[in-house]
Amino acid sequence: MNNYIIIGGSSGIGLGLTKSLLAQNNKVFASYNQHPIEVDDANLITFKLDVLNDNYQFPDLPDTIDGIVYCPGSIDLKPFQRISPLNMVKDYELNVVSAVKIIQAMITRLKKSKEASIVLYSTVAVQSGFNFHSQVSASKGAIEGLTRALAAELSPTIRINAIAPSLTNTPLASGLLSSEDKIKANDARHPMKRIGKIDDIVEASLFLLSNKSSWITGQIIPVDGGMSVVKG
Ligand SMILES: NC(=O)c1ccc[n+]([C@@H]2O[C@H](COP(=O)([O-])OP(=O)(O)OC[C@H]3O[C@@H](n4cnc5c(N)ncnc54)[C@H](OP(=O)(O)O)[C@@H]3O)[C@@H](O)[C@H]2O)c1
């Protein structure tokens, strides 16, 4: 049994991951912000945490943590001329600065594990350019830089990798998937002819947390239905 912390375990990918880690008999400490986690399992400890609030309160945690997954993120798409510097800073705080604070708070516990792994999320829109994605691409681009730099600093004790999904059917993406027509159009844009399912990203995350990926660190793994590389 390993000990995992899921920041943002109440929705989408984080909720899927929480359920899968519990099914594998792990102990999971999962945070929520606005939506309490409705999962009943003796190995699950839930706690409220707003990562934008400086006063972080964690539940009693074991001395050893084997993995952390940081799920909070945003998809705030708009034309470049309408991006406000304030929103850009807020996005950076949510995606990057708060991830840094969480990792810093857990580093001593992670170092006690024999197989510590951190998983972050980027987006397909960092390595490929998409209209209206300047704000999210900038924050998630920083996540990719952080992943590589921190992999250097934390090796060989702690591995850190990021997954770069394309559009995945979660509450975060609901505005982009609010009608059958929108879903069909987004399915069609992907070489694999469908948008992502939560399980697509959960499976990749489980692999990066497990010691099956023990020789992988500092990588950005695209899980995107072929979107980033397949043309035509
Ligand atoms: N879905 C996509 O199409 C897509 C594409 C590319 C990248 N990603 C990235 O994948 C990651 C997971 O996305 P998702 O689609 O699973 O998102 P989601 O369904 O919106 O879930 C996000 C989770 O983060 C929590 N959270 C949000 N703001 C928070 C805050 N201020 N403090 C603490 N927790 C907070 C939410 O908690 P509450 O619900 O309790 O408020 C929720 O548990 C994100 O980093 C996202 O940018 C997603």
Side-chain angles (χ1 to χ4, degrees):
M1 178 189 270
N2 280 350
N3 298 319
Y4 293 106
I5 297 186
I6 310 296
I7 302 299
S10 52
S11 174
I13 294 160
L15 179 59
L17 197 48
T18 296
K19 290 177 179 169
S20 294
L21 288 169
L22 290 168
Q24 293 178 351
N25 229 8
N26 295 294
K27 185 109 186 157
V28 181
F29 299 83
S31 80
Y32 62 93
N33 186 29
Q34 294 181 34
H35 308 100
I37 302 172
E38 314 281 355
V39 175
D40 188 16
D41 191 304
N43 285 325
L44 174 66
I45 310 285
T46 70
F47 59 105
K48 170 143 173 76
L49 177 72
D50 178 356
V51 296
L52 297 177
N53 176 344
D54 259 348
N55 183 22
Y56 287 8
Q57 304 280 344
F58 295 100
D60 273 347
L61 294 172
D63 285 347
T64 302
I65 295 292
D66 301 290
I68 294 186
V69 183
Y70 184 85
C71 299
S74 49
I75 311 182
D76 190 2
L77 308 184
K78 49 172 79 97
F80 179 70
Q81 288 293 84
R82 288 192 16 223
I83 292 176
S84 83
L86 184 63
N87 279 350
M88 195 115 189
V89 170
K90 280 187 181 162
D91 219 54
Y92 193 82
E93 267 185 34
L94 179 71
N95 281 283
V96 187
V97 179
S98 302
V100 166
K101 289 196 231 168
I102 294 285
I103 296 168
Q104 285 174 335
M106 292 302 144
I107 213 96
T108 307
R109 288 182 163 86
L110 285 165
K111 282 184 175 164
K112 292 191 174 140
S113 169
K114 290 195 177 73
E115 50 185 276
S117 171
I118 301 169
V119 176
L120 305 176
Y121 296 101
S122 178
T123 164
V124 66
V126 170
Q127 297 299 331
S128 302
F130 293 98
N131 273 335
F132 307 148
H133 279 67
S134 305
Q135 184 172 303
V136 64
S137 302
S139 308
K140 294 299 197 182
I143 282 292
E144 296 197 3
L146 176 70
T147 300
R148 294 195 184 97
L150 214 43
E153 200 162 329
L154 299 179
S155 293
T157 321
I158 304 171
R159 297 184 301 114
I160 174 166
N161 294 285
I163 293 170
S166 186
L167 187 60
T168 301
N169 197 350
T170 72
L172 183 66
S174 58
L176 302 171
L177 301 171
S178 55
S179 69
E180 275 305 310
D181 283 351
K182 284 185 185 175
I183 294 173
K184 274 191 193 153
N186 279 300
D187 283 344
R189 286 192 313 124
H190 288 81
M192 292 305 292
K193 299 303 169 205
R194 67 170 177 84
I195 57 166
K197 295 183 280 193
I198 287 173
D199 270 357
D200 293 321
I201 314 302
V202 167
E203 287 301 322
S205 308
L206 289 171
F207 172 68
L208 290 176
L209 284 177
S210 77
N211 61 9
K212 289 179 191 161
S213 60
S214 62
W215 211 40
I216 300 178
T217 194
Q219 298 298 329
I220 316 301
I221 314 283
V223 182
D224 62 7
M227 192 69 147
S228 54
V229 287
V230 180
K231 308 289 172 210

